[in-house]
Amino acid sequence: METRIALIGIIVEGSEATEKLNTILHEYAHHIVGRMGIPYREKGICIFSIVIDATNDVISSLSGKLGQINGLSIKTVYSKMPTGKNKDSAL
């Protein structure tokens, strides 16, 4: 099955959402290429970026589950890279 690269941006506005976030990300760990979290203490939030390589259905499922968590704001951006393109040609 063909996969796509996507970036999921997450802003955690309530610390109670963090445990649910980590539980869901653990379910999708085999699709996650990398993740980065930045605490923004002055504003009392955390910002996460998740890079995922998965089918459209998996990406949509993950985004949907995250979007249901109170205290999270999320946005998903998909790569425009055509299917089957050589990974080195984008560099």
Side-chain angles (χ1 to χ4, degrees):
M1 200 159 232
E2 296 180 34
T3 63
R4 292 183 71 184
I5 303 296
L7 171 67
I8 303 173
I10 304 166
I11 297 177
V12 181
E13 299 162 343
S15 59
E16 63 280 350
T18 306
E19 185 176 337
K20 292 177 184 177
L21 169 65
N22 285 324
T23 298
I24 292 171
L25 292 179
H26 181 72
E27 292 175 25
Y28 290 83
H30 57 284
H31 297 289
I32 294 174
V33 176
R35 66 187 262 186
M36 177 179 61
I38 303 168
Y40 192 178
R41 290 179 185 89
E42 293 82 12
K43 300 290 183 179
I45 61 173
C46 289
I47 301 142
F48 288 89
S49 60
I50 310 296
V51 178
I52 185 168
D53 183 358
T55 63
N56 284 336
D57 289 345
V58 170
I59 296 168
S60 294
S61 174
L62 173 56
S63 296
K65 286 181 181 182
L66 294 175
Q68 296 298 313
I69 299 173
N70 289 332
L72 292 188
S73 297
I74 76 151
K75 190 69 170 183
T76 304
V77 180
Y78 290 85
S79 167
K80 292 182 181 179
M81 184 169 34
T83 327
K85 187 172 182 178
N86 183 327
K87 66 180 179 178
D88 293 331
S89 65
L91 300 177

